[in-house]
């Protein structure tokens, strides 16, 4: 009688240098800064980011917490075959999701992501950029901007994150 050998579980993909760059985001962070929901009317923002490595360190799951409520989640990753970083972002502000693609600038120690968002009733295509600038092992800046909008119509946010 022939014995059937069950298939082996695949071994996890080994993290590469770019995954270690993402791992720098792991941990709990206190964020403060400004959010612009309307041009020229900044609101002070204080939030907490809870970031954890998932799936053998290949991804970072980032939860944005404001007043003990989760308001957004981003899953960061790197695709070695494609050579690009990615960010899958969802939030309570919209029922849609965004998939951003990016790169790491080692000289500036900065991750930069971008995508096109389709916003409003008219579904206008607007370019969106997310920049994470590492300042140290305990601090980074994050900016979200819409660079193609006229300066007097700019919205977005800028926060400084400090490790808790």
């Amino acid at each position: 009688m022939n014995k059937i050998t069950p298939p082996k579980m695949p071994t996890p993909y080994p993290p590469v240098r770019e995954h270690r760059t993402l791992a720098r985001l792991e941990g709990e962070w206190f964020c403060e800064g400004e959010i612009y929901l309307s041009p020229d009317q900044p609101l002070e923002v204080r939030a907490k980011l809870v970031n954890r490595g998932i799936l053998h360190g290949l991804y970072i799951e980032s939860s944005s917490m404001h007043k003990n409520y989760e308001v957004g989640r981003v899953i960061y990753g790197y695709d070695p075959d494609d050579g690009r970083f990615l960010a899958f972002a969802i939030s309570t502000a919209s029922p849609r999701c965004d998939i951003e693609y990016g790169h790491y600038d080692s000289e500036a120690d900065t991750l930069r992501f971008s995508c096109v968002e389709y916003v409003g009733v008219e579904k206008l295509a607007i370019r969106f950029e997310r920049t994470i600038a590492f300042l140290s092992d305990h601090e980074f800046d994050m900016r979200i901007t819409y660079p193609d909008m006229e300066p007097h119509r700019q919205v977005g946010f800028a926060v400084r994150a400090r490790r808790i």
Side-chain angles (χ1 to χ4, degrees):
M1 174 181 257
N2 291 340
K3 290 186 178 182
I4 297 175
T5 305
K8 290 184 178 180
M9 288 295 293
T11 57
Y13 188 93
V16 296
R17 180 182 72 238
E18 290 82 359
H19 294 114
R20 289 187 288 281
T21 297
L22 289 173
R24 294 168 65 190
L25 294 169
E26 284 187 58
E28 292 190 10
W29 304 84
F30 173 71
C31 301
E32 60 184 338
E34 295 179 331
I35 186 167
Y36 290 81
L37 300 174
S38 300
D40 300 324
Q41 294 181 6
L43 299 171
E44 186 177 290
V45 64
R46 294 175 190 268
K48 179 179 174 181
L49 286 178
V50 179
N51 298 344
R52 65 186 187 102
I54 60 172
L55 301 175
H56 193 63
L58 297 178
Y59 298 91
I60 298 296
E61 180 181 60
S62 177
S63 295
S64 300
M65 309 294 291
H66 180 69
K67 296 185 179 178
N68 295 321
Y69 293 100
E70 185 175 26
V71 295
R73 189 173 293 196
V74 180
I75 297 181
Y76 297 100
Y78 177 75
D79 183 342
D81 294 335
D82 192 34
R84 294 188 295 180
F85 286 88
L86 60 97
F88 172 75
I90 53 178
S91 85
T92 59
S94 168
R96 68 171 206 282
C97 65
D98 295 312
I99 299 177
E100 309 159 25
Y101 293 97
H103 67 279
Y104 175 67
D105 178 341
S106 60
E107 284 186 31
D109 202 10
T110 302
L111 281 164
R112 292 185 182 173
F113 298 88
S114 66
C115 73
V116 173
E117 286 187 2
Y118 297 91
V119 297
V121 177
E122 306 88 13
K123 301 292 185 206
L124 298 173
I126 299 177
R127 192 164 49 106
F128 164 97
E129 291 183 350
R130 175 190 311 264
T131 303
I132 299 170
F134 295 101
L135 305 174
S136 72
D137 290 340
H138 304 285
E139 202 169 45
F140 65 85
D141 285 343
M142 183 185 303
R143 291 186 178 279
I144 291 182
T145 58
Y146 297 83
D148 298 331
M149 293 181 88
E150 299 167 16
H152 67 282
R153 297 187 63 211
Q154 281 290 324
V155 295
F157 79 80
V159 295
R160 165 96 17 117
R162 292 183 182 89
R163 195 176 294 277
I164 296 175

